[in-house]
Amino acid sequence: MPIPPEVIQSIRERVNIVELVGESVTLKRKGNSHVGLCPFHQEKTPSFNVVPGKNIFHCFGCGEGGDGIAFVMKTRGVGFIEAVKELGQRVGVEVEDRQLTEVERRRITRRANLFDVCEAAAGFYHSTLMTRPEGRPALEYLRGRGLTEETIAAFRLGFAPARWDGVQEHLARQGFDRNLMASAGLIRWRDERNPGRGSYDLFRGRVMVPILNERGKVVAFGGRVLESLFGTSDAIREGAPKYVNSPETEAYRKKQVLYGLHQARRAIQNRNRILVVEGYFDVIALHQAGFEEAVATCGTALTPEHARLIRPLTQTVVALFDTDEAGLRAAEKSMPIFVKAGIEPYRLVLVGAKDPDEFIQVNGRDEFAEALARPESLLELLLTRTRGRHGASPQGKQRTVEDLAPIVRLYESAAQQAVIGRLSSALALSESVIREWVGRARAGTPDRSDPTAAQVARWNGSKALNQLFWLLIHHHDLVAPEIVIADPDPDVITDYEPAQVAFAMLLKGDPITAIMDFVDDENIRRVLIAAASRETLIPAANAKNAVRQNLDSLLIVRIDQQLQELQTEIAACNNESDTSSYFSLIEKLQALQKRKHAIQTRFAQ
């Protein structure tokens, strides 16, 4: 049974699309719209518009657009039903399970159950830390790191007991199945091929850090071992790894999650920068010190997916990688990822400390703020290390440029010129020589995931038709009567049938969201969203005249098509053997030419 249209429409009307999109994109008010950097393609100048009056979004750069449901589908990677259900929960409109297909119900239920079991585990870990004797050593450890009770509560830190079955016994009493616990990465089977042999907790004797997704749901955990517990239990042994992280699950993909992003989003938008660090406790310490724009990767290297999460929020990144060799290599590898995403990357070197947490504990927040005011371009690190590897000989300089050329090519023209100038100065080479070497570098293959990489043939509508769409959307009460009086032939409006239906529905006053549902045509969706997103095109005082002019323009196009068809028939007609047909065609041709002239004369007035 499909979801009733009135339920979908109710959800659409209740969703605050500015708040919804604003969770992923930094928006600034511009007239009646809000604008920001598009989350669907790379751009330097904002062309992504959110129109709250019509509850839609549209990017004038790549053409993506739609309503709140479409935004959730595109950014969350879920289907229509899941997006409707998620937004229904957000605005308090129930979408009953009986309205879903069996496959959709199972998928939604499975994901919801994973969220539920992770949430229950987070509650157990936090309660153990704060209220149980076995959590006291972990609580003292956190206090020893300088964390306040408020910070511990804000990040929902917890403790996994040093037992084989601490969390699974608690969750089992709450009714959760062990298969679900294993799917969530909370427990492991002693024998994967034979679950009947039993299971054990993945996290034991560890301080627990819940990892939240962009909607604030717990999806995974990071666990830091308490060395003070070594030897106190068989469940935690000497030499256990310092950190253990949840495995990937249906609800958790490391390359798509930044730890702390849910809490940091507003600070990132307000300060127009993001601090990317390596550890969970670096994030927590920075937030407590007032630098709430900090996030961390979840035990994995920085990925293009991470960059795509960052770019709509800010174009300025300050990376605080560790100062050891591994940290320096990680900084180098992140450079092309940031540049390709259109992000300006900086690096902060914290002298005398291995990480931000240690620096703040030793030096305080004011010194960190002073250091943060003077970040180093990540390009400088890359240049220094590359030049150090190859030396200052002519051949070494050439190899340095060759190594850096693929990254230089990722910059847009103005920025690329600045980078070439910097390399010229650092290497004592002329800019023309560096530009030549950069030009020799092999260009990368197009990114097929980029919606602007491949241009697909599609219907875009004519200028006159699109202006009529715009007029019906923005000045309906003024222009609809004029069109009704003119009573244009649908084939004059357009020969594209979905557009004819859309035009008729707009004429009746139907909302564009209802039209898109009914017509279900990607071309119509794109054209209508673009028209609805463009605020100023034709003043109200000129609306009626614009209707007549655009209808006349469409009529002239139709007459030109008919004239061409007649001329083809006349050329094929034998005027000696079939004079009646020939002269009949000539009369039709002259009548059409006269009609066209009359319209053009009226059009010019």
Side-chain angles (χ1 to χ4, degrees):
M1 177 179 177
I3 302 175
E6 60 271 17
V7 172
I8 297 173
Q9 192 59 31
S10 176
I11 291 171
R12 282 194 176 111
E13 291 171 355
R14 295 190 189 193
V15 168
N16 184 322
I17 196 163
V18 174
E19 288 184 2
L20 176 67
V21 176
E23 293 174 0
S24 303
V25 180
T26 297
L27 298 173
K28 294 183 179 179
R29 190 176 183 88
K30 184 179 180 181
N32 295 323
S33 299
H34 293 72
V35 299
L37 291 172
C38 179
F40 305 114
H41 83 289
Q42 180 180 327
E43 62 180 4
K44 292 284 188 181
T45 304
S47 61
F48 181 81
N49 285 250
V50 179
V51 188
K54 296 180 173 60
N55 264 347
I56 59 171
F57 69 91
H58 174 68
C59 177
F60 288 99
C62 68
E64 286 287 359
D67 57 9
I69 297 171
F71 188 80
V72 171
M73 290 172 65
K74 294 174 187 296
T75 57
R76 308 278 202 267
V78 299
F80 179 81
I81 300 294
E82 290 174 88
V84 171
K85 193 173 179 79
E86 178 179 322
L87 288 178
Q89 292 173 343
R90 182 185 181 104
V91 300
V93 175
E94 184 178 1
V95 180
E96 298 180 20
D97 284 347
R98 64 182 176 82
Q99 295 165 346
L100 311 178
T101 68
E102 186 60 32
V103 172
E104 290 165 340
R105 186 183 298 111
R106 282 199 302 268
R107 183 172 62 247
I108 292 171
T109 300
R110 188 166 58 248
R111 285 174 60 86
N113 287 343
L114 287 174
F115 294 144
D116 289 342
V117 73
C118 287
E119 176 65 31
F124 169 73
Y125 294 138
H126 185 66
S127 175
T128 301
L129 173 74
M130 302 303 296
T131 66
R132 299 184 184 183
E134 58 189 331
R136 191 167 299 131
L139 188 58
E140 292 303 317
Y141 166 80
L142 293 173
R143 288 170 175 163
R145 294 190 69 137
L147 299 185
T148 65
E149 301 285 335
E150 292 76 14
T151 297
I152 291 170
F155 284 89
R156 302 182 64 189
L157 303 180
F159 178 67
R163 292 184 271 120
W164 293 105
D165 57 0
V167 73
Q168 62 181 300
E169 288 300 323
H170 172 81
L171 295 175
R173 285 194 297 272
Q174 299 222 340
F176 291 102
D177 182 80
R178 279 181 170 77
N179 287 311
L180 179 62
M181 300 178 209
S183 296
L186 294 167
I187 69 170
R188 285 181 174 170
W189 303 113
R190 296 189 182 279
D191 184 344
E192 292 287 344
R193 294 170 295 183
N194 184 13
R197 293 190 60 190
S199 57
Y200 61 92
D201 290 2
L202 174 62
F203 302 102
R204 306 178 306 281
R206 293 179 179 274
V207 175
M208 298 299 291
V209 181
I211 298 169
L212 280 55
N213 68 6
E214 72 280 359
R215 288 170 284 164
K217 293 183 179 293
V218 181
V219 293
F221 296 89
R224 194 225 187 265
V225 73
L226 274 187
E227 291 90 344
S228 62
L229 297 180
F230 284 159
T232 63
S233 169
D234 180 55
I236 176 169
R237 295 168 180 155
E238 190 82 29
K242 186 175 180 179
Y243 278 96
V244 169
N245 297 304
S246 291
E248 294 200 336
T249 69
E250 188 173 344
Y252 175 55
R253 297 289 184 268
K254 293 179 183 181
K255 67 180 182 179
Q256 297 173 353
V257 175
L258 287 169
Y259 174 70
L261 182 61
H262 178 71
Q263 296 96 325
R265 191 180 303 279
R266 289 304 174 197
I268 295 168
Q269 294 173 317
N270 292 337
R271 297 175 184 178
N272 192 27
R273 73 180 178 201
I274 188 170
L275 311 181
V276 178
V277 299
E278 291 195 74
Y280 305 128
F281 284 100
D282 290 327
V283 171
I284 296 168
L286 285 168
H287 277 243
Q288 180 172 284
F291 304 96
E292 297 174 350
E293 65 271 34
V295 302
T297 56
C298 296
T300 186
L302 190 92
T303 67
E305 288 81 2
H306 291 143
R308 282 195 283 272
L309 288 174
I310 293 170
R311 184 177 49 79
L313 298 173
T314 180
Q315 290 178 281
T316 303
V317 168
V318 181
L320 290 86
F321 295 108
D322 289 350
T323 55
D324 58 13
E325 182 59 26
L328 294 172
R329 285 199 300 270
E332 281 190 275
K333 290 180 180 178
S334 72
M335 181 73 178
I337 294 173
F338 285 133
V339 174
K340 190 172 184 180
I343 295 170
E344 184 68 25
Y346 294 89
R347 171 177 175 255
L348 187 61
V349 179
L350 299 175
V351 179
K354 69 178 187 301
D355 55 42
D357 184 12
E358 180 181 290
F359 186 92
I360 289 175
Q361 288 188 48
V362 173
N363 301 287
R365 72 172 310 280
D366 291 342
E367 285 200 33
F368 182 84
E370 288 183 18
L372 188 57
R374 301 184 301 275
E376 174 191 54
S377 170
L378 202 53
L379 175 66
E380 294 300 322
L381 171 69
L382 197 60
L383 173 57
T384 299
R385 285 174 61 81
T386 307
R387 185 170 50 182
R389 284 195 296 268
H390 296 308
S393 68
Q395 293 82 3
K397 290 180 179 181
Q398 179 172 343
R399 285 194 291 269
T400 296
V401 176
E402 289 173 347
D403 280 1
L404 295 177
I407 292 177
V408 177
R409 289 182 64 89
L410 294 176
Y411 283 94
E412 294 186 0
S413 56
Q416 187 180 104
Q417 177 58 39
V419 172
I420 289 173
R422 175 66 189 114
L423 295 184
S424 171
S425 174
L427 299 174
L429 294 170
S430 71
E431 292 188 11
S432 60
V433 169
I434 293 176
R435 195 173 292 109
E436 180 184 354
W437 281 342
V438 169
R440 292 175 184 172
R442 181 181 299 173
T445 56
D447 182 358
R448 300 302 177 189
S449 64
D450 185 345
T452 63
Q455 297 298 322
V456 180
R458 55 189 183 181
W459 182 88
N460 290 308
S462 64
K463 179 180 178 181
L465 174 59
N466 291 344
Q467 285 200 6
L468 288 172
F469 279 146
W470 188 93
L471 287 162
L472 283 169
I473 292 170
H474 294 274
H475 299 307
H476 180 271
D477 292 343
L478 284 174
V479 304
E482 295 290 319
I483 297 174
V484 170
I485 292 171
D487 190 24
D489 186 329
D491 287 333
V492 168
I493 297 297
T494 176
D495 57 3
Y496 189 59
E497 187 175 347
Q500 292 178 352
V501 176
F503 187 86
M505 294 181 73
L506 278 176
L507 192 59
K508 288 195 307 176
D510 291 336
I512 61 171
T513 51
I515 296 171
M516 289 187 294
D517 283 346
F518 183 82
V519 177
D520 192 22
D521 181 272
E522 180 64 20
N523 293 318
I524 293 300
R525 179 200 64 77
R526 178 170 34 77
V527 168
L528 291 185
I529 289 293
S533 301
R534 190 179 298 278
E535 286 190 34
T536 55
L537 183 64
I538 300 169
N542 299 339
K544 292 182 180 180
N545 187 51
V547 166
R548 290 189 288 270
Q549 288 185 341
N550 283 305
L551 288 175
D552 283 349
S553 292
L554 292 172
L555 187 54
I556 287 174
V557 170
R558 180 61 176 161
I559 289 173
D560 282 340
Q561 291 173 344
Q562 292 173 329
L563 286 172
Q564 187 173 1
E565 292 169 0
L566 279 172
Q567 287 168 344
T568 300
E569 289 184 54
I570 290 170
C573 183
N574 189 330
N575 58 0
E576 294 182 357
S577 61
D578 191 2
T579 56
S580 60
S581 295
Y582 175 79
F583 284 111
S584 175
L585 291 172
I586 292 294
E587 287 179 6
K588 289 180 180 178
L589 181 71
Q590 292 172 339
L592 279 176
Q593 289 172 332
K594 184 177 181 181
R595 187 182 179 195
K596 178 181 177 180
H597 178 71
I599 294 170
Q600 288 175 322
T601 302
R602 182 176 70 214
F603 189 89
Q605 292 176 350

